[in-house]
Amino acid sequence: MMKSTESWLGSDFLPQLPGNKDRTAKPVKTEAARILVVDDEVRMRESVRDLLQAYGHSSIVAANGHIALDILREKSIELILLDLNMPEISGMEFLDLLKEEFPDIDVVIVSGEATFTNATEALRHGVSDFLRKPYNPVELLGIIENVLKKRHLEREFKQVHQRLEASEYRYRFIVDNSPDIIYMLDEAGYFCFVNDRISQLLDYKKDDLIGHHYSEVVHEEDLEKAKYAFAERRTGDRASRNVEFRLRCKDNTQPSRYFETRSVSIELNSMGIYREAGSSEKCYVGTYGVARDISERKRAEEIINFQLYHDLLTQLPNRALLRDRLGLAISQAKRSGNQLALMYLDMDRFKVINDSLGHVAGDQLLQTVANRLRNCLRDSDTLARVGGDEFNLLVPEVTGRVDAIRLVEKVLANLKAPIFIDGVEVFVSFSIGIALFPDDGETMDALIKHADIAMYHVKRHGKDGYEFFSNNMKGTADQHLSLDAGLRRAIDEEQLQVYFQPQINLQSGMVSGMEALLRWKHPEAGNISPTEFIPVAEENGLINEIGLWVLDAGCAELSKWRKAGHNQLKLAVNVSSKQLAQSDFEHQVFNILTKHGIPGSALELEITENVLIQDMDQVVNKLRQLHADGICIAVDDFGIGYSSLGYLQSLPLSTLKIDRSFVSGIRATSSRNSIVTAIIAMAKELGLDIIAEGVETEIQHQQLKRLGCPNAQGFLFGRPMPKEQVGLFLKKGYL
């Protein structure tokens, strides 16, 4: 007959089970856990299972150690209730096997062999508790609850520890891979932590800095600025924010990496670290800081600042920096009583070189010239590029004109040597104007203006030289400006007039043509010479409008003369290089001829040799189109230009006009005039017509006639006359 549960438990009472209303034992329940009961006595196994089930525990029973191990391999078990006295595998042997294969499972020994030796041996095997049979069920349940609670706490602690380890790993990863230097100082300012970024930026290893004072890495010039920021004690809004200074790189004899500089600019944010020292007091323990590398930003700021005050092509100071230094130099000169010189340098013929060789070559030329100019100067001098081919040179502390002349002649001499651009030999020259402080001006604007005026004075008188400013130049410049403004009004107010000078056939004495000449009758200044206002018109661009107006007005008069029966007349009109440069110039000419019903053969366009050499290809194409329509092309002032005679065969030319300077040299019929003779002979050989300009004496007339010159014009035959007088002149028909 089976014993009751109460009898084999060996107790006078049971824990409160369903139906045992009189029991008062109420052990605290834990979360349901799977428990393995290992006991060779069937009743013991079953009764313990029933007890555990009654208290919400899930359990599995095993009759011996082999079965228990098989269950452990298949099921998840948290706690084992183990009997020591079992067949086949004893409890101690089972513990050995369990420790090898399942070391994390808790074990409670429930055995009748409760000797001290057994208990000690079991505890050595790592069991959680030891309970002797027979036992009180409450005591068993209490032990189970304690073991499971401990196991639950250990699991939670392990999870927290794992989370902390993961969090610390992430923090370490973020800190060590941060693009910023992250550091901690102790209360004395010594490093107690620094991340790996320090080695990348400053070439220090972390161990090189731990225990060292922060001042060892701060640039010596910035120590005062870093004193209260790097070892910051303040917190919150009062802590250091965005403080900029420099850190020194490690001074290695053989560095593992190369730096553009031996310092790094950083932006620092830092705050003090405190710990509780009492009920209301806090103790300062160190500083936590983040230093960001701003070297790239600083370099970008330096580049931007450089670009603001320098010319990017030549790396020279620009106008803004020149004015700044000029203002400072004037202030110093006023205090010291010294003089200073301001020079305005303009490269001659740069546009021709730039257009011929291209803009890239032009840039190379400017860079080479800038380097040559720099090599002539003192450290205190300032050379600035203020325009395309214009430079200003500030020379402080000069004793007068002698020092300025010595420097400017050195500059001009240094520029005499040829410059090779892409294998092409180029020669450059400069027109230089000089203004002295305080003689030529006491302000920046006055000095710059007067140096500019002196430079243009050099330009108008042959270029390639220098001039000091003088007051009479200012009058010329003011007149130039007045002409510019007045010329614009002259067009609107019809102050311009076309005069005509006759061209005579020397063999027949008949009028062969008329040259249209521009005159300006100013309402206040009277008649203004073309030599004065034509250069101004070319500078300000009005020459295109004026030239077209002259051509139209001249053709209108020619049309009248032809209708009056003078069909043999040819109209000569001067054309500037600016007009020829217009893309539609030839079409403008054709339109005017059509407008007035004039054939192309009745028009002769006069150009100078200098026009031909400026842009030969463009000129040739336009002249050929004009020549194809019958228009004659004449070379004015022939013989005084700088071009090769080769163009005479390559261009569609009709006439050569012998310059008046050669004609004026004819003083007697018996005198030798080799140049005039050569020009006439060459023209005849090339099949070109000839007109001699500036004939003023009968001797010149007869000599030219004797040499075979077919045509001439000059005061001897007739001065330029208004259109109203041409009709009367033509009625004479011949001389």
Side-chain angles (χ1 to χ4, degrees):
M1 186 175 183
M2 292 182 64
K3 295 182 179 180
S4 67
T5 302
E6 185 176 342
S7 64
W8 58 261
L9 286 175
S11 174
D12 295 332
F13 65 94
L14 286 171
Q16 185 174 355
L17 298 173
N20 295 336
K21 302 295 184 183
D22 57 330
R23 305 302 185 186
T24 58
K26 297 181 179 179
V28 179
K29 293 185 178 181
T30 61
E31 294 181 4
R34 180 162 290 189
I35 301 173
L36 176 61
V37 180
V38 185
D39 199 311
D40 58 337
E41 293 184 20
V42 177
R43 287 182 299 171
M44 174 64 72
R45 296 196 303 269
E46 298 298 332
S47 63
V48 173
R49 183 178 64 184
D50 292 342
L51 177 65
L52 294 175
Q53 185 176 357
Y55 276 80
H57 294 294
S58 173
S59 62
I60 303 175
V61 296
N64 56 54
H66 289 298
I67 297 173
L69 289 173
D70 291 338
I71 293 172
L72 289 171
R73 295 185 183 104
E74 296 178 1
K75 306 287 185 180
S76 176
I77 301 298
E78 295 186 57
L79 175 63
I80 298 176
L81 300 179
L82 178 65
D83 183 20
L84 291 178
N85 188 14
M86 294 186 301
E88 298 183 13
I89 300 178
S90 68
M92 293 301 177
E93 292 174 338
F94 179 81
L95 288 174
D96 290 333
L97 296 173
L98 186 69
K99 187 176 182 180
E100 292 180 6
E101 199 167 346
F102 306 100
D104 295 332
I105 298 178
D106 288 306
V107 179
V108 174
I109 301 297
V110 182
S111 177
E113 297 183 8
T115 64
F116 178 78
T117 302
N118 289 339
T120 303
E121 185 66 22
L123 292 173
R124 285 176 181 169
H125 280 76
V127 299
S128 299
D129 210 336
F130 194 102
L131 183 63
R132 181 178 178 277
K133 295 178 182 179
Y135 53 82
N136 188 327
V138 174
E139 187 178 3
L140 175 62
L141 291 172
I143 290 174
I144 291 173
E145 293 292 335
N146 289 337
V147 172
L148 292 179
K149 185 175 182 180
K150 177 184 176 184
R151 183 177 180 86
H152 177 72
L153 291 174
E154 287 178 347
R155 184 187 299 114
E156 286 187 343
F157 175 79
K158 186 175 181 181
Q159 291 174 350
V160 171
H161 182 68
Q162 289 174 344
R163 287 196 294 269
L164 286 174
E165 283 186 338
S167 177
E168 183 179 0
Y169 174 79
R170 288 192 296 270
Y171 174 79
R172 284 276 183 184
F173 179 82
I174 293 171
V175 169
D176 287 337
N177 291 277
S178 171
D180 303 327
I181 296 174
I182 300 175
Y183 69 91
M184 288 183 65
L185 303 178
D186 63 16
E187 68 277 8
Y190 291 86
F191 285 105
C192 54
F193 170 79
V194 66
N195 68 343
D196 293 337
R197 182 63 170 158
I198 198 81
S199 62
Q200 300 170 7
L201 286 182
L202 306 182
D203 216 29
Y204 287 98
K205 294 180 180 178
K206 291 196 289 188
D207 293 342
D208 294 338
L209 294 179
I210 300 300
H212 290 256
H213 198 265
Y214 74 86
S215 60
E216 295 182 22
V217 299
V218 177
H219 196 282
E220 55 271 15
E221 296 178 3
D222 296 339
L223 278 172
E224 190 63 28
K225 185 188 294 186
K227 183 177 181 181
Y228 299 104
F230 214 100
E232 178 63 83
R233 288 174 173 263
R234 296 168 297 182
T235 60
D237 295 337
R238 299 176 62 245
S240 294
R241 293 287 183 273
N242 305 324
V243 181
E244 297 181 6
F245 53 88
R246 290 167 294 173
L247 300 181
R248 292 190 297 113
C249 298
K250 186 176 182 180
D251 188 14
N252 294 331
T253 54
Q254 293 182 341
S256 59
R257 59 191 293 270
Y258 296 94
F259 298 89
E260 293 181 5
T261 61
R262 298 307 300 165
S263 65
V264 173
S265 297
I266 60 105
E267 184 179 73
L268 181 71
N269 292 286
S270 59
M271 67 176 186
I273 303 174
Y274 291 83
R275 61 175 173 82
E276 299 291 340
S279 58
S280 60
E281 295 183 359
K282 292 183 179 180
C283 178
Y284 171 71
V285 295
T287 301
Y288 178 82
V290 178
R292 174 160 296 178
D293 178 18
I294 58 171
S295 301
E296 289 297 326
R297 192 185 81 190
K298 285 293 186 182
R299 276 192 286 270
E301 290 174 355
E302 290 173 2
I303 291 172
I304 292 171
N305 187 63
F306 183 86
Q307 291 175 346
L308 286 174
Y309 295 103
H310 289 81
D311 170 58
L312 297 184
L313 178 64
T314 61
Q315 308 297 300
L316 293 175
N318 61 12
R319 192 188 304 272
L321 184 54
L322 172 76
R323 290 182 66 87
D324 181 71
R325 293 184 180 177
L326 179 56
L328 181 61
I330 290 174
S331 299
Q332 292 175 341
K334 287 179 179 178
R335 288 195 299 269
S336 64
N338 292 330
Q339 289 184 296
L340 66 85
L342 182 69
M343 302 182 186
Y344 208 113
L345 298 84
D346 186 272
M347 193 186 304
D348 301 326
R349 299 174 57 251
F350 175 72
K351 186 178 185 305
V352 175
I353 298 172
N354 201 38
D355 291 344
S356 301
L357 301 180
H359 293 289
V360 174
D363 290 346
Q364 293 177 5
L365 177 62
L366 287 171
Q367 291 171 332
T368 304
V369 167
N371 289 332
R372 286 195 180 183
L373 291 172
R374 250 192 303 247
N375 293 334
C376 301
L377 308 180
R378 305 170 300 177
D379 292 338
S380 59
D381 301 335
T382 298
L383 176 67
R385 184 185 178 209
V386 296
D389 59 347
E390 296 178 343
F391 300 85
N392 281 172
L393 175 56
L394 169 62
V395 187
E397 299 181 358
V398 297
T399 56
R401 291 195 172 196
V402 175
D403 286 348
I405 290 173
R406 186 182 300 114
L407 176 59
V408 76
E409 289 184 346
K410 180 181 178 182
V411 167
L412 291 173
N414 199 29
L415 293 170
K416 291 295 182 184
I419 298 174
F420 291 91
I421 304 294
D422 294 334
V424 178
E425 189 178 41
V426 177
F427 290 88
V428 297
S429 63
F430 272 85
S431 298
I432 304 175
I434 309 170
L436 296 177
F437 172 88
D439 299 343
D440 301 328
E442 296 186 1
T443 65
M444 289 188 293
D445 292 333
L447 288 172
I448 294 172
K449 176 184 176 181
H450 293 163
D452 189 22
I453 290 173
M455 182 271 293
Y456 274 107
H457 190 268
V458 178
K459 285 280 189 185
R460 287 192 291 268
H461 293 80
K463 306 179 181 180
D464 190 16
Y466 63 91
E467 288 283 353
F468 286 88
F469 172 77
S470 62
N471 286 326
N472 64 322
M473 292 180 185
K474 186 177 181 181
T476 303
D478 291 342
Q479 181 184 6
H480 186 87
L481 184 61
S482 176
L483 286 175
D484 183 275
L487 191 57
R488 297 177 187 274
R489 291 195 302 272
I491 297 174
D492 298 332
E493 298 175 5
E494 299 182 354
Q495 299 173 14
L496 300 179
Q497 297 178 348
V498 178
Y499 276 51
F500 299 92
Q501 185 176 31
Q503 296 173 340
I504 306 299
N505 184 299
L506 296 182
Q507 302 304 319
S508 66
M510 300 292 291
V511 179
S512 60
M514 288 284 182
E515 181 178 2
L517 301 171
L518 184 62
R519 295 293 182 264
W520 181 9
K521 190 174 183 179
H522 195 279
E524 297 175 359
N527 292 326
I528 299 177
S529 171
T531 57
E532 295 182 30
F533 69 82
I534 290 297
V536 176
E538 289 184 335
E539 286 183 16
N540 61 24
L542 289 175
I543 192 64
N544 294 331
E545 183 180 350
I546 293 173
L548 191 64
W549 178 81
V550 170
L551 180 62
D552 184 69
C555 287
E557 294 303 313
L558 177 62
S559 177
K560 295 178 183 178
W561 303 333
R562 290 175 64 86
K563 290 177 181 178
H566 304 288
N567 293 325
Q568 83 287 358
L569 283 182
K570 184 180 293 185
L571 178 69
V573 180
N574 290 279
V575 177
S576 75
S577 60
K578 300 282 187 181
Q579 289 178 269
L580 274 175
Q582 296 179 96
S583 60
D584 61 342
F585 172 72
E586 61 273 29
H587 299 294
Q588 293 177 0
V589 175
F590 297 150
N591 291 337
I592 290 175
L593 291 177
T594 302
K595 173 183 175 182
H596 297 289
I598 297 172
S601 59
L603 178 64
E604 184 173 76
L605 299 179
E606 295 184 3
I607 57 177
T608 63
E609 290 180 281
N610 291 335
V611 171
L612 296 175
I613 66 171
Q614 287 183 11
D615 194 345
M616 178 68 79
D617 293 336
Q618 185 179 11
V619 169
V620 168
N621 291 332
K622 291 181 183 294
L623 295 184
R624 284 177 177 166
Q625 292 183 54
L626 294 167
H627 183 72
D629 200 55
I631 298 172
C632 301
I633 308 298
V635 178
D636 197 13
D637 302 330
F638 181 76
I640 64 171
Y642 304 99
S643 62
S644 167
L645 296 178
Y647 71 83
L648 295 178
Q649 291 181 312
S650 61
L651 292 176
L653 301 179
S654 305
T655 306
L656 297 182
K657 298 190 72 173
I658 303 174
D659 187 69
R660 66 180 63 249
S661 62
F662 301 127
V663 174
S664 64
I666 302 175
R667 293 184 175 85
T669 55
S670 61
S671 62
R672 300 182 62 184
N673 301 283
S674 56
I675 295 179
V676 175
T677 303
I679 293 174
I680 294 172
M682 180 179 61
K684 288 181 178 180
E685 184 67 25
L686 294 172
L688 300 177
D689 198 5
I690 304 171
I691 298 177
E693 294 183 293
V695 179
E696 298 181 355
T697 67
E698 187 60 31
I699 292 176
Q700 294 170 348
H701 174 201
Q702 295 302 324
Q703 182 71 343
L704 288 169
K705 187 175 181 179
R706 186 183 66 80
L707 292 174
C709 180
N711 302 286
Q713 70 182 85
F715 290 173
L716 179 65
F717 309 119
R719 291 176 177 272
M721 63 191 77
K723 61 184 180 181
E724 294 82 6
Q725 298 178 11
V726 174
L728 295 175
F729 186 87
L730 290 175
K731 285 182 180 180
K732 293 192 303 182
Y734 59 91
L735 297 179

